[in-house]
């Protein structure tokens, strides 16, 4: 621009210059019309002088000058662009000659601002910046490619894992298929049962993979103890991330660890939390239909209409106890100076304590009591606060729901009742079964095994016989962990708390039948038959967790101890008058029994 401006000349000097340049290149002819005329080689008039001294000149502005002018840019826009590029890479120093000066590493002046506000700029667009931009672009492309490759590898690993668990059990598939018979073209209902996975994701993934792969399996049910120790939201979410990949209906039962009845006050879940974290995923996943559940209630049922089976899942920890209803302790404002509760110590009226890691309240004793030893960690022993969560209790509202759910069972449907604890423990012995552990096994002597099943078995008996039922139910203190800490349902006229009456009339039931109970908790294979009532059987599988400690008394050969490939999945096929058991994975018992297939005629 400066060069162009320097080329400006006086018009008269310009005229003289043009005249002299034109004179050499063009002919000058005389004409009566002009004093002088200038033409090009084609006689086109370029310039002329009239007799009166005036002039005519063709536009001589060249395209080169036009092009240069078109390249002019706004100074402010250029300054902003250069400033942004320079700022990150160059130093700004003070100078007596300039207001500000920007230099590179070799002190070369790149840009400057003069005292009068004018600017000097050196061309800052470097090859280095271009190279960096290209490098970043390439890194982004490489990262995307790498992520795509990782996802492909993960998918291949998952596919191989599923194929592997299926191939490991391929020899047992024909036995499973033969256990599930067909009558007049109608297939028996077949369900995969797992329990007590205790946060082991691989065990759940394997069960889901087999359920997806084997066509004759209609559904899968997890009979409780999804978590490892207590109510743990992260473990629950991890479980459902695996479980919801099942392509067939998936059901769950709430176990004692899931609800948090481990004497951990701060880890014990409310009924509302149980519904939110365990039941709602089945609703959101489209498993449970309207009418099969009640909002906020942790019990439900599900109908398999194509197989004519109703699975009823009670909630065994329906305990009403809380701080306001605690006969031994009252909650008071937290006082950090109070001593921590000591397990096994006797406390008297007026004693004040803190409860281990529970920092929201302190407690004052209002009745002499010996504190409970925590099941897992004495640091978190609690003073009977919510300790009734350890008991298995059904309150009146749920008992009436169970009665109505049985009464509404559609015609010709079979009923399966799923609980976590082995059913009918107070009145049931094992049958001589290949699927049963070789031991006289009654839960009445097993502490926390005591539960509400006398209540359930009485209701089921009335359903089977199609008769009327009148029950008096109470919740009575039970010796558990060496203290009167928990409550359980019992039948009778006397009891300390929460007595209620149940009336039921099943005389109008048509052709429905009771198939069996299924459960977990025991970590071993069990097959029960009620001592008094015919046609009441309970089936419990070995724990799904492959940890050898969890399977310490499982009565199966640990062919691959602590291996995640150590499958032992029980499938149950039911129809009227018949239960068929079949085992995928580990079948061999310690005494040589093969738990491959067994038929129980009811």
């Amino acid at each position: 621009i400066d060069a162009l401006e320097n080329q400006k000349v006086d018009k008269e000097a310009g005229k003289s210059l043009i005249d002299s340049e034109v004179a050499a290149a063009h002919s000058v002819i005389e004409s009566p019309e002009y004093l002088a005329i200038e033409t090009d080689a084609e006689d086109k008039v370029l310039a002329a002088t009239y007799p009166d001294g005036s002039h005519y000149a063709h536009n001589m502005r060249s395209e080169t000058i036009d092009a240069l002018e078109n390249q002019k840019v706004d100074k402010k826009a250029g300054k902003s662009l250069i400033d942004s590029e320079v700022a990150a890479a160059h130093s700004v120093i003070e100078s007596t000659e300039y207001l500000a000066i920007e230099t590179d590493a070799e002190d070369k002046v790149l840009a400057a601002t003069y005292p009068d506000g004018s600017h000097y700029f050196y061309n800052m667009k470097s090859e280095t910046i271009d190279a960096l931009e290209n490098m970043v672009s390439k890194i982004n492309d490489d990262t995307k490619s790498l992520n795509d490759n990782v996802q492909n590898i993960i998918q291949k690993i998952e596919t191989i894992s599923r194929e592997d668990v299926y191939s490991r059990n391929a020899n047992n598939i024909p036995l499973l298929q033969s256990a599930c018979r067909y009558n007049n073209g109608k297939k028996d209902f077949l369900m995969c049962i797992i329990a007590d996975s205790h946060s082991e994701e691989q065990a759940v993934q394997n069960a889901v993979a087999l359920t997806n792969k084997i066509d004759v399996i209609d559904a899968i049910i997890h009979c409780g103890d999804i978590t490892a120790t207590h109510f743990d939201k992260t473990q629950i979410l991890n479980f459902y991330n695996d479980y919801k990949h099942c392509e067939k209906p998936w059901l769950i039962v709430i176990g004692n660890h899931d609800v948090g009845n481990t004497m951990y006050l701060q880890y014990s879940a409310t009924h509302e939390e149980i519904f939110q974290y365990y039941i709602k995923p089945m609703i959101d996943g489209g498993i449970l239909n309207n009418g099969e559940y009640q909002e906020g209630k942790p019990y439900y049922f599900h109908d398999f209409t194509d197989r004519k089976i109703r699975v009823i899942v009670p909630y065994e920890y329906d305990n009403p106890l809380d701080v306001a209803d605690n006969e031994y302790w009252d909650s008071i404002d937290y006082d950090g100076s109070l001593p921590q509760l000591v397990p096994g110590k006797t406390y008297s009226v007026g004693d004040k304590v803190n409860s281990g890691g529970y920092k929201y309240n302190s407690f004052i004793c209002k009745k002499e009591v010996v504190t409970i030893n925590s099941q897992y960690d004495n640091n978190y022993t609690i003073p009977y606060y919510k300790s009734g969560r350890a008991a298995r209790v059904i309150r009146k509202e749920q008992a009436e729901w169970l009665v109505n759910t049985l009464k509404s069972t559609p015609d010709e449907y079979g009923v399966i009742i799923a609980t976590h604890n082995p059913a009918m423990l107070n009145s049931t012995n094992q049958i001589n079964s290949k699927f049963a552990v070789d031991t006289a096994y009654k839960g009445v002597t097993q502490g926390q095994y005591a539960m509400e099943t006398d209540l359930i078995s009485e209701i089921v008996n009335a359903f089977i016989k199609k008769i009327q039922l009148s029950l008096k139910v109470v919740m009575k203190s039970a010796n558990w962990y060496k203290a009167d800490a928990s409550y359980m349902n019992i039948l009778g006229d006397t009891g300390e708390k929460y007595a209620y009456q149940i009336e039921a009339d099943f005389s109008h039931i048509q052709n429905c039948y009771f198939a069996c109970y299924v459960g977990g908790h025991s970590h071993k294979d069990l097959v029960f038959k009620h001592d008094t009532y015919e046609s009441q059987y309970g089936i419990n599988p070995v724990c799904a967790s492959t940890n050898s400690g969890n399977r310490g008394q499982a009565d199966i050969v640990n062919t691959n101890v602590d291996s995640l490939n150590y499958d032992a999945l029980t499938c149950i096929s039911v129809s009227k008058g018949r239960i068929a058991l079949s085992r995928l994975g580990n079948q061999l018992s310690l005494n040589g029994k093969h738990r491959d297939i067994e038929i129980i005629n009811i």
Side-chain angles (χ1 to χ4, degrees):
I1 293 172
D2 292 337
L4 289 173
E5 289 179 346
N6 291 334
Q7 292 180 29
K8 292 179 181 179
V9 295
D10 181 77
K11 288 184 178 180
E12 291 298 326
K15 176 180 181 298
S16 175
L17 176 64
I18 292 172
D19 286 346
S20 63
E21 289 180 350
V22 169
H26 304 95
S27 61
V28 177
I29 61 173
E30 294 185 0
S31 166
E33 186 176 353
Y34 308 102
L35 285 178
I37 188 170
E38 299 171 2
T39 64
D40 59 13
E42 297 175 356
D43 289 341
K44 181 178 180 180
V45 176
L46 300 176
T49 300
Y50 294 93
D52 60 2
S54 60
H55 304 281
Y56 161 78
H58 181 69
N59 185 6
M60 297 295 292
R61 191 169 184 84
S62 70
E63 293 180 359
T64 302
I65 295 175
D66 290 337
L68 288 171
E69 289 183 342
N70 289 337
Q71 291 182 31
K72 292 181 180 179
V73 296
D74 182 72
K75 288 185 178 181
K76 290 184 179 179
K79 177 183 182 301
S80 175
L81 176 63
I82 294 173
D83 284 347
S84 63
E85 292 180 352
V86 169
H90 305 92
S91 59
V92 178
I93 61 174
E94 293 186 358
S95 170
T96 56
E97 184 179 357
Y98 310 103
L99 284 180
I101 186 169
E102 297 171 4
T103 64
D104 61 12
E106 299 174 355
D107 290 334
K108 179 179 179 181
V109 176
L110 302 173
T113 301
Y114 295 91
D116 63 0
S118 60
H119 305 282
Y120 163 78
F121 298 104
Y122 178 77
N123 183 5
M124 294 296 300
K125 187 68 174 178
S126 66
E127 294 181 1
T128 303
I129 295 176
D130 292 336
L132 288 173
E133 289 177 346
N134 292 334
M135 184 181 297
V136 170
S137 177
K138 185 176 186 304
I139 289 173
N140 289 335
D141 292 341
D142 291 345
T143 301
K144 182 180 183 304
S145 177
L146 180 60
N147 287 336
D148 292 341
N149 290 337
V150 169
Q151 291 302 317
N152 290 334
I153 292 172
I154 291 174
Q155 291 176 2
K156 288 179 181 178
I157 290 174
E158 290 177 347
T159 301
I160 292 171
S161 176
R162 292 189 180 97
E163 290 176 350
D164 190 40
V165 68
Y166 182 78
S167 64
R168 289 199 305 271
N169 292 279
N171 293 336
N172 298 335
I173 304 304
L175 293 174
L176 173 66
Q177 293 170 330
S178 65
C180 183
R181 67 181 182 179
Y182 290 78
N183 293 319
N184 298 322
K186 180 184 176 183
K187 186 179 79 66
D188 289 349
F189 176 70
L190 180 62
M191 182 165 57
C192 178
I193 307 173
I194 60 173
D196 303 280
S197 59
H198 291 291
S199 79
E200 185 181 302
E201 293 186 56
Q202 188 66 54
V204 175
Q205 292 169 1
N206 287 350
V208 167
L210 285 170
T211 300
N212 288 341
K213 189 83 171 180
I214 302 172
D215 291 339
V216 291
I217 297 180
D218 294 298
I220 185 171
I221 187 167
H222 192 299
C223 286
D225 278 1
I226 289 165
T227 64
T229 55
H230 55 267
F231 176 70
D232 187 305
K233 297 176 183 178
T234 299
Q235 291 183 31
I236 299 167
L237 294 174
N238 289 341
F239 165 79
Y240 273 113
N241 285 337
D242 297 321
Y243 203 51
K244 69 184 180 182
H245 285 99
C246 187
E247 299 165 2
K248 299 170 184 178
W250 34 273
L251 306 176
I252 62 99
V253 177
I254 309 300
N256 58 294
H257 288 281
D258 303 324
V259 78
N261 72 342
T262 58
M263 295 298 165
Y264 285 167
L265 178 64
Q266 66 271 48
Y267 295 151
S268 183
T270 65
H271 302 316
E272 292 75 17
E273 286 176 319
I274 294 298
F275 176 84
Q276 181 69 28
Y277 280 88
Y278 288 106
I279 308 302
K280 198 166 186 302
M282 291 185 288
I283 301 171
D284 295 340
I287 306 299
L288 299 185
N289 303 311
N290 289 333
E292 296 183 341
Y293 65 94
Q294 300 178 58
E295 188 69 27
K297 304 298 182 183
Y299 42 84
Y300 67 94
F301 72 90
H302 180 66
D303 285 340
F304 294 87
T305 56
D306 53 340
R307 302 286 179 242
K308 292 189 174 181
I309 290 290
R310 171 167 287 188
V311 178
I312 302 175
V313 184
Y315 175 55
E316 302 171 62
Y317 311 95
D318 194 13
N319 201 298
L321 299 183
D322 56 20
V323 163
D325 183 32
N326 189 300
E327 61 183 293
Y328 295 102
W329 300 86
D330 276 334
S331 173
I332 58 177
D333 289 340
Y334 176 70
D335 184 348
S337 66
L338 294 178
Q340 288 197 358
L341 194 73
V342 177
K345 180 179 177 180
T346 300
Y347 288 87
S348 301
V349 176
D351 288 339
K352 295 180 180 181
V353 296
N354 286 319
S355 180
Y358 185 57
K359 301 300 184 185
Y360 296 102
N361 292 99
S362 300
F363 298 88
I364 183 171
C365 188
K366 60 182 180 180
K367 180 179 179 181
E368 184 174 297
V369 62
V370 178
T371 52
I372 305 170
N373 286 296
S374 170
Q375 186 174 357
Y376 295 103
D377 186 344
N378 289 340
N379 291 331
Y380 293 96
T381 302
I382 67 169
Y384 291 157
Y385 177 76
K386 285 188 179 178
S387 58
R389 304 292 255 143
R392 285 163 167 80
V393 172
I394 289 181
R395 284 185 285 176
K396 183 177 182 180
E397 181 183 4
Q398 186 183 174
E400 291 177 340
W401 168 84
L402 176 60
V403 167
N404 292 330
T405 301
L406 286 167
K407 288 173 66 175
S408 66
T409 302
D411 192 32
E412 297 185 356
Y413 270 54
V415 171
I416 297 173
I417 293 181
T419 60
H420 176 59
N421 203 76
M424 309 174 298
L425 283 172
N426 284 336
S427 57
T428 305
N429 286 318
Q430 287 203 90
I431 65 174
N432 184 18
S433 165
K434 291 189 297 183
F435 271 79
V437 176
D438 289 327
T439 180
Y441 194 84
K442 271 196 173 183
V444 68
T445 62
Q446 298 293 322
Q448 63 174 314
Y449 285 75
M451 64 175 296
E452 77 294 330
T453 45
D454 276 347
L455 168 63
I456 294 180
S457 60
E458 289 288 339
I459 295 174
V460 168
N461 179 62
F463 171 79
I464 292 173
K465 293 183 176 179
K466 300 178 177 59
I467 60 175
Q468 293 185 347
L469 174 69
S470 180
L471 285 178
K472 293 180 179 180
V473 184
V474 297
M475 290 171 58
K476 187 175 182 180
S477 297
N479 283 331
W480 192 65
Y481 286 111
K482 301 179 182 180
D484 291 340
S486 60
Y487 286 85
M488 57 178 288
N489 283 131
I490 63 170
L491 308 178
D493 296 328
T494 60
E496 290 86 352
K497 285 177 177 272
Y498 310 111
Y500 61 85
Q501 187 86 10
I502 286 293
E503 305 288 342
D505 185 359
F506 295 104
S507 60
H508 300 292
I509 296 295
Q510 297 299 312
N511 296 318
C512 303
Y513 66 93
F514 180 71
C516 64
Y517 301 98
V518 295
H521 188 71
S522 62
H523 290 212
K524 54 179 70 72
D525 292 304
L526 302 173
V527 180
F528 291 121
K529 180 184 178 184
H530 201 285
D531 290 345
T532 304
Y533 301 137
E534 295 295 326
S535 301
Q536 290 197 38
Y537 285 82
I539 311 298
N540 281 69
V542 68
C543 68
S545 172
T546 59
N547 178 278
S548 60
N550 286 334
R551 287 182 173 175
Q553 298 179 6
D555 190 36
I556 54 177
V557 176
N558 284 354
T559 55
N560 196 359
V561 175
D562 291 332
S563 168
L564 293 180
N565 296 331
Y566 181 31
D567 308 310
L569 305 175
T570 300
C571 291
I572 181 169
S573 176
V574 298
S575 58
K576 192 170 185 178
R578 181 179 185 269
I579 303 172
L581 301 174
S582 53
R583 168 62 57 78
L584 295 172
N586 193 296
Q587 298 177 335
L588 188 63
S589 70
L590 296 177
N591 67 351
K593 291 181 180 179
H594 283 271
R595 292 179 182 141
D596 47 10
I597 186 171
E598 182 168 6
I599 308 298
I600 302 173
N601 294 311
I602 302 175

